[in-house]
Amino acid sequence: MDEQPRLMHSHGVGMAGHPGLAQHMQDGTAGTDGEGRKQDIGDILQQIMTITDQSLDEAQARKHALNCHRMKPALFNVLCEIKEKTVLSIRGAQEEEPPDPQLMRLDNMLLAEGVAGPEKGGGSAAAAAAAAATGGVGADNSAEHSDYRAKLSQIRQIYHTELEKYEQACNEFTTHVMNLLREQSRTRPISPKEIERMVSIIHRKFSSIQMQLKQSTCEAVMILRSRFLDARRKRRNFNKQATEILNEYFYSHLSNPYPSEEAKEELAKKCGITVSQVTRRKQRSKVSNWFGNKRIRYKKNIGKFQEEANMYAARTAVNATSVSAHGSQANSPSTPNSAGSAGSFNMSNSGDLFMSVQSLNGDSYQGGQVGANIQSQVDTLRHVISQTGGYSDSLAASQMYSPQGINTNGGWQDAPTPSSVTSPTEGPGSVHSDTSN
DNA sequence: GTTCATGATTTAGG
DNA sequence: CCTAAATCATGAAC
């Protein structure tokens, strides 16, 4: 023990316990001869190279000396006593910390995305979930999904590799520290509890790294998601058939183009359109989107849709009256108001069309055919009626339908709700487009 | 590149 | 929840 002060003194302060070094430095700076300086630098380097070994040996020797000292057990006991007093006051201050909510959030998200959790199964489950989320009809976006899956598994792989590395490093460091502490516990009192606490501190420090890893993984997944699954980004036009089916329904229910939930589903199925999709906020039917857009755009510019309306009106009429001489006459959509201007309806063409369909209506009605057809056929012509007072009157004269369709100023709001407006004829499927539920 | 059509989202209102 | 309306963003035609 009495050698300690002597050691400290002889070693000096600045040169980390290496007596010769300071001396050499001084010599080097003092010397004017270049050769000699080089020599000195070489010496210094040499000493630096061996510095670790020296100090280690020295430390070992000192440690050994301390351990063997006759006073050591007594000193150790004293230290233990002091320690016990101080540690007792510290203990219990911070035990078991609750799990970090932020970390839990990230964990949950990674689990949900299939990045964490079971290796292969997780991936496919996530892909399936993603497919379900987009509403996977599959045909139109399976390629994208496989791409998405590939990218996701790439992320997963990186994540797992990094996590493994992290865990390994953490464990290594922990064991290292534990070994050190255990070693030190021979010279100073260290309770297992203390080691535990130290380990927990290390883990806490390391967990911030883990959090960063998870955070960036989450970000990567989010970016991937937004790139591949954001429907807005990846807008696909519906195919022609789907558009036709939707248009058919729209124009045959022009008086009240608000398909019920069942109707929407039915339409979606027939069109091969996904029923729903995941948006950032909520789920919404694509059919609803379509009808929403259609309604607003039709209302905004009826003239623009006139031709289309006529076409579908004619088609619906034909379909409704399956076998009829009149039907074939009305059928010919060869002159679907091609000359019609935006604002005013082409009188001659539409008139013809209207008259013929009207007569069809009469036929089918009087003939006692399926009444359901009537409503839809009238609907298909509502836009004509609403704009041409004369025809409206003539229709009103028929005493069967009140023109309730879209009016030039308002919209469909005034029209009664589907349940109330629909005459008994509407129920069991008006046309083929409105198939039975 | 510009323009138009169109599906999706956002906002506001019930 | 729904909707209308406004707006955004993309696809396709030119």
Side-chain angles (χ1 to χ4, degrees):
Chain A
M1 204 57 198
D2 57 343
E3 65 183 356
Q4 185 91 333
R6 190 168 52 77
L7 276 170
M8 291 294 280
H9 180 73
S10 68
H11 283 177
V13 194
M15 297 317 293
H18 290 275
L21 213 52
Q23 191 67 31
H24 270 283
M25 289 281 273
Q26 272 182 343
D27 290 354
T29 49
T32 47
D33 184 11
E35 268 306 310
R37 187 180 263 180
K38 256 187 202 166
Q39 183 62 42
D40 283 347
I41 291 173
D43 284 354
I44 291 168
L45 282 174
Q46 191 58 41
Q47 286 192 31
I48 289 174
M49 296 291 275
T50 56
I51 199 170
T52 330
D53 298 338
Q54 282 176 11
S55 65
L56 273 179
D57 288 348
E58 224 169 275
Q60 285 292 342
R62 277 168 58 197
K63 207 155 68 176
H64 186 70
L66 276 174
N67 270 331
C68 297
H69 200 277
R70 61 191 168 82
M71 288 289 284
K72 192 234 172 188
L75 193 64
F76 193 83
N77 278 345
V78 172
L79 279 173
C80 279
E81 259 176 55
I82 298 169
K83 185 94 180 202
E84 207 149 321
K85 278 185 200 155
T86 51
V87 165
L88 273 176
S89 59
I90 305 170
R91 191 167 299 166
Q94 69 240 40
E95 290 295 315
E96 283 302 307
E97 249 178 65
D100 190 347
Q102 173 93 5
L103 197 62
M104 274 177 65
R105 204 173 55 81
L106 289 172
D107 271 338
N108 286 339
M109 196 183 138
L110 288 172
L111 211 60
E113 295 295 339
V115 176
E119 192 48 40
K120 257 304 163 203
S124 54
T134 32
V137 156
D140 56 337
N141 46 16
S142 64
E144 286 165 27
H145 279 163
S146 74
D147 208 0
Y148 172 80
R149 223 172 345 210
K151 287 267 187 345
L152 189 67
S153 83
Q154 215 174 324
I155 290 175
R156 193 174 57 236
Q157 200 177 336
I158 292 169
Y159 169 74
H160 280 297
T161 317
E162 289 299 317
L163 196 64
E164 212 170 292
K165 264 195 246 168
Y166 153 81
E167 265 163 9
Q168 199 183 331
C170 184
N171 284 338
E172 255 172 42
F173 190 73
T174 307
T175 3
H176 187 67
V177 168
M178 272 166 73
N179 284 340
L180 274 178
L181 285 175
R182 243 180 249 132
E183 170 114 13
Q184 284 198 6
S185 72
R186 289 199 297 151
T187 48
R188 66 188 181 96
I190 297 174
S191 66
K193 198 83 183 171
E194 244 180 308
I195 297 179
E196 216 172 277
R197 215 157 61 83
M198 186 61 82
V199 168
S200 86
I201 288 171
I202 294 168
H203 281 166
R204 219 173 304 150
K205 292 283 176 206
F206 264 86
S207 87
S208 71
I209 301 172
Q210 192 185 29
M211 176 114 80
Q212 221 165 324
L213 170 65
K214 287 180 176 177
Q215 179 95 48
S216 53
T217 307
C218 276
E219 267 166 34
V221 171
M222 288 324 281
I223 290 168
L224 185 71
R225 267 188 88 85
S226 70
R227 188 169 304 163
F228 278 87
L229 301 179
D230 190 346
R232 183 170 177 153
R233 278 183 183 281
K234 282 273 160 195
R235 183 176 73 80
R236 293 252 83 115
N237 287 346
F238 297 155
N239 60 35
K240 221 177 167 85
Q241 199 192 351
T243 314
E244 287 204 356
I245 290 168
L246 290 169
N247 269 319
E248 215 163 89
Y249 186 97
F250 180 81
Y251 287 112
S252 62
H253 296 74
L254 203 51
S255 66
N256 198 52
Y258 297 86
S260 64
E261 211 45 53
E262 295 83 40
K264 280 184 203 167
E265 239 169 84
E266 183 70 31
L267 284 167
K269 206 159 68 177
K270 278 170 69 172
C271 299
I273 289 175
T274 60
V275 175
S276 66
Q277 85 219 76
V278 171
T279 66
R280 241 182 318 155
R281 284 156 175 257
K282 59 185 174 185
Q283 286 207 334
R284 174 201 247 138
S285 163
K286 286 193 175 195
V287 176
S288 300
N289 274 345
W290 190 91
F291 272 90
N293 283 325
K294 189 73 183 179
R295 278 192 299 265
I296 194 72
R297 281 160 189 166
Y298 179 86
K299 205 166 92 173
K300 252 184 180 169
N301 193 352
I302 295 177
K304 203 173 76 179
F305 290 93
Q306 209 79 83
E307 194 169 330
E308 191 177 77
N310 287 341
M311 201 180 79
Y312 282 103
R315 194 179 303 184
T316 304
V318 171
N319 287 336
T321 62
S322 41
V323 260
S324 163
H326 287 110
S328 61
Q329 196 178 351
N331 179 5
S332 60
S334 49
T335 58
N337 183 26
S338 54
S341 67
S344 64
F345 203 78
N346 183 308
M347 295 298 257
S348 69
N349 277 342
S350 63
D352 286 343
L353 185 61
F354 174 69
M355 290 306 273
S356 57
V357 176
Q358 192 187 30
S359 64
L360 275 174
N361 277 341
D363 282 353
S364 60
Y365 182 71
Q366 283 165 358
Q369 281 191 1
V370 229
N373 293 335
I374 298 170
Q375 177 70 46
S376 60
Q377 286 179 55
V378 172
D379 278 342
T380 60
L381 297 166
R382 275 270 145 67
H383 64 283
V384 182
I385 297 156
S386 64
Q387 285 189 323
T388 54
Y391 287 116
S392 174
D393 286 341
S394 76
L395 186 75
S398 76
Q399 284 284 68
M400 278 186 287
Y401 332 97
S402 56
Q404 60 190 344
I406 182 170
N407 39 41
T408 39
N409 57 347
W412 289 283
Q413 278 107 320
D414 294 335
T417 54
S419 52
S420 58
V421 65
T422 47
S423 51
T425 60
E426 177 77 2
S430 45
V431 219
H432 70 99
S433 66
D434 184 17
T435 54
S436 60
N437 309 320

